[in-house]
Amino acid sequence: MDYEENLLFTPEGVRDIYGTECEKRRRVESGIHSIMNVYGFQDIQTPTFEFFDIFKQERGTVESKEMFKFFDQYNNTLVLRPDITPSIARCVAKYYADEQLPIRLCYAGSTFIHRRGYQGKLSEISQIGAELMNDASSDADAEMIALTVECLAKAGLEEFKIDVGHAGFIRGIMEETGFSKQEVEQYKTLLANKNMFGVEQMMEEKDISPEWKEFLVRLPDLFGGKETLAYAKKYIHHPLALEAVERMERVYEILDIYGDLGQCVTFDLSMQSHYEYYTGIIFKAYTYGTGEAIVTGGRYDKLVEQFGKKAPAVGLAIVLDQLMNALGRQKAEIPADENGVLVLYHSAQRKTAIHTGNRYRDEGHRVMLMRKNAETGLDEYRQYAEQHQIATVLYVESDESVKQL
C-alpha cells in the first residue's frame, strides 16, 4: 500500500461517521439536548485542547500516559481534553466566580484518551453531558439521575438500569478496616473486578471480626434495591460510610416522587469510578448486550475549588458511541427525515426548478436541486432518492409542468 492509499484511512482509535448513521446520531443528540434544555441547562463549549495542568492526575482525572500531549510555540504542554468536566470547572471558576445560586450547563463534544492494548475501542469518545454547580443537595443528585432516565428514554432506549453508589462509602469502609495503603489498593482492585474469591483469600489473612470479614467478602456482590442499603447499615460504623448510605436512601425517596423512578435504580455498594475527583453519589447506566456504561456521573464537590471557587457540583456524561450501539442492538426506531424533496430539472428549466425548491424550503422541507444528466435514467434518480431517504422526487419537464415521479 503506497502513501496516497494510506491517506484514505484514519489513525487507530478514530473513525469516520457518515450518511444515515451520522444523521441518526444527530437526531439522538438533538433529542437529548432538548431534554437538558427543558430541565434548565444552558449550553457551554470549551476548547478541544487545553493546558496539561487542567487535567493533571492530582486533580483526580486520567493518568498522564493516557493523554494526547503536544507543545505550543511557547513550549507549554497542551493536551487534547481527556475529560470535559475539569474544563467546565475551570470555566465556572472564571466566569461565575461570584455566583452563589445554582449554575446549570450542558455540552456536547469529544474526549481523547489513549487506548493502547484495547483492541477495537475508540480513542475519540463523543459525549453529551450536563453539570449542576452550586447545589450540594440530595435533590440535585436525584435530579441528575432523573435527567439521565429521561434522556435515555428520549433516545429510544429500553430496559436500562442505573447503578448507584457513593464514593464516600468505599473510603469510609477502607478507613474502618485499618488496612495499609497497599492493602486498600489491593482490595479496591478486587472490588472493581468483582473478584469474590480473591477477596475471600485476602480476608483469610486478616485479623478482623467474623462479622466484618463476612461483610467485606460479600461487598463485591452487594447490589440490589433498598434492602441492600438496610443490610449494609447493620455492619458499618464509620461516619463517612453511614453518611453515604443515608444519602443514597434520600436520593431513592426523591426519585420515587419523580414518578417511581426508583424502579430504574439498583444500588451497587462496591461501585468505584475511574475519576478520583468524585466525592459523593456516583452512578452508571447500563442496558442489556453491553458491558460498558452508556452514562457515567456523580458528585464532585472539591473539583471546582481547585480552580479557585468553592462550588459543590454533580454531573453526568452520556457516551454517545455506546448509546448508539445499544440502540442498534435493540433495533430502536430512530425516525429519519422523511420530509426531503429532490427537484430534478434540465438547464432550460433552471429558473422554475430554483423557484420550486425555494417554495418547498419555505414550507420547511429539505430540498435538493439536481440538474438531470442525459445519460442517467429516471429510475436511477428514484433509487438515489431512496438511498438518501428523500420522500418526494419532482421532475421539472417544462416551465408549465412539474410532476412527481
Side-chain angles (χ1 to χ4, degrees):
M1 185 180 296
D2 62 28
Y3 176 73
E4 291 299 328
E5 289 179 326
N6 274 331
L7 292 180
L8 297 177
F9 295 90
T10 60
E12 183 180 359
V14 295
R15 71 185 186 100
D16 299 312
I17 303 169
Y18 60 96
T20 302
E21 180 187 2
C22 191
E23 182 185 351
K24 288 182 177 180
R25 285 170 68 98
R26 291 289 176 261
R27 285 182 171 274
V28 168
E29 184 177 338
S30 177
I32 291 171
H33 182 256
S34 70
I35 296 297
M36 290 180 175
N37 280 168
V38 299
Y39 268 71
F41 289 84
Q42 296 180 309
D43 293 313
I44 186 171
Q45 183 174 332
T46 60
T48 303
F49 63 88
E50 297 206 46
F51 292 117
F52 170 79
D53 284 351
I54 298 295
F55 308 102
K56 63 184 181 182
Q57 193 174 2
E58 290 78 5
R59 298 199 192 283
T61 184
V62 305
E63 295 182 35
S64 174
K65 65 182 180 181
E66 295 181 338
M67 300 184 199
F68 288 89
K69 296 185 283 290
F70 56 101
F71 300 95
D72 65 10
Q73 67 269 39
Y74 308 109
N75 212 32
N76 295 310
T77 303
L78 307 177
V79 297
L80 295 177
R81 61 187 180 203
D83 181 11
I84 297 180
T85 299
S87 294
I88 295 178
R90 173 191 59 76
C91 285
V92 167
K94 180 179 180 181
Y95 301 111
Y96 298 87
D98 299 323
E99 180 61 72
Q100 299 301 313
L101 292 175
I103 303 164
R104 295 167 178 262
L105 301 170
C106 63
Y107 63 87
S110 293
T111 59
F112 304 85
I113 300 176
H114 271 298
R115 296 289 188 177
R116 291 178 181 174
Y118 293 89
Q119 195 172 23
K121 290 191 177 181
L122 294 174
S123 294
E124 180 179 6
I125 304 161
S126 299
Q127 295 184 354
I128 310 168
E131 313 289 347
L132 175 51
M133 313 277 190
N134 276 350
D135 192 334
S137 69
S138 52
D139 294 81
D141 294 341
E143 181 176 343
M144 297 306 280
I145 296 173
L147 176 60
T148 299
V149 173
E150 284 217 40
C151 286
L152 294 181
K154 179 67 174 180
L157 195 66
E158 298 178 351
E159 298 183 38
F160 57 85
K161 271 286 185 182
I162 300 178
D163 291 350
V164 177
H166 196 292
F169 183 80
I170 297 298
R171 292 188 183 117
I173 292 295
M174 292 298 95
E175 289 181 17
E176 191 166 347
T177 61
F179 287 172
S180 68
K181 185 176 181 180
Q182 183 178 357
E183 289 171 331
V184 166
E185 291 306 313
Q186 178 187 357
Y187 184 76
K188 288 171 71 174
T189 299
L190 293 171
L191 274 184
N193 295 326
K194 301 290 186 182
N195 187 347
M196 295 185 68
F197 296 107
V199 172
E200 287 179 4
Q201 185 176 358
M202 182 180 178
M203 291 304 107
E204 287 176 1
E205 304 169 1
K206 301 300 172 190
D207 184 19
I208 54 179
S209 70
E211 294 80 10
W212 190 232
K213 186 177 295 187
E214 176 190 347
F215 179 76
L216 293 176
V217 169
R218 282 204 61 188
L219 188 53
D221 198 35
L222 197 55
F223 56 90
K226 284 182 66 177
E227 71 282 356
T228 305
L229 304 180
Y231 173 84
K233 288 176 78 172
K234 295 178 182 178
Y235 291 87
I236 58 177
H237 303 92
H238 193 281
L240 187 59
L242 280 171
E243 181 183 344
V245 172
E246 290 168 357
R247 181 75 167 212
M248 286 185 276
E249 288 176 329
R250 288 197 298 275
V251 168
Y252 186 90
E253 292 168 359
I254 297 168
L255 286 173
D256 268 347
I257 299 173
Y258 271 93
D260 205 21
L261 295 188
Q263 293 185 353
C264 299
V265 168
T266 299
F267 292 103
D268 183 354
L269 296 186
S270 67
M271 181 184 293
Q272 302 176 70
S273 173
H274 183 62
Y275 299 121
E276 289 295 325
Y277 53 66
Y278 283 124
T279 57
I281 288 286
I282 50 178
F283 56 90
K284 299 177 181 179
Y286 296 91
T287 189
Y288 66 84
T290 177
E292 294 195 36
I294 51 179
V295 184
T296 60
R299 174 162 290 282
Y300 51 98
D301 286 344
K302 303 297 182 182
L303 180 61
V304 184
E305 187 175 346
Q306 294 184 39
F307 297 98
K309 174 183 172 65
K310 289 187 176 182
V314 59
L316 67 89
I318 299 170
V319 185
L320 188 57
D321 307 284
Q322 292 293 339
L323 176 57
M324 296 307 298
N325 289 339
L327 291 170
R329 281 190 294 270
Q330 293 188 10
K331 300 188 181 339
E333 289 292 332
I334 303 174
D337 183 359
E338 297 179 355
N339 209 23
V341 177
L342 170 61
V343 179
L344 197 61
Y345 65 96
H346 299 282
S347 57
Q349 282 75 47
R350 182 181 294 113
K351 183 176 181 180
T352 299
I354 291 174
H355 288 172
T356 300
N358 286 342
R359 187 170 68 253
Y360 275 91
R361 287 180 182 131
D362 289 342
E363 294 173 0
H365 293 271
R366 175 171 56 100
V367 177
M368 185 184 299
L369 293 175
M370 190 173 295
R371 182 173 160 182
K372 187 180 183 306
N373 189 317
E375 298 176 359
T376 306
L378 293 178
D379 285 341
E380 292 182 65
Y381 285 108
R382 288 193 196 94
Q383 292 173 10
Y384 176 89
E386 185 176 340
Q387 291 169 2
H388 290 79
Q389 298 176 322
I390 298 171
T392 305
V393 180
L394 300 178
Y395 181 29
V396 184
E397 292 183 307
S398 67
D399 290 336
E400 292 76 32
S401 176
V402 180
K403 72 175 185 178
Q404 183 172 335
L405 296 182

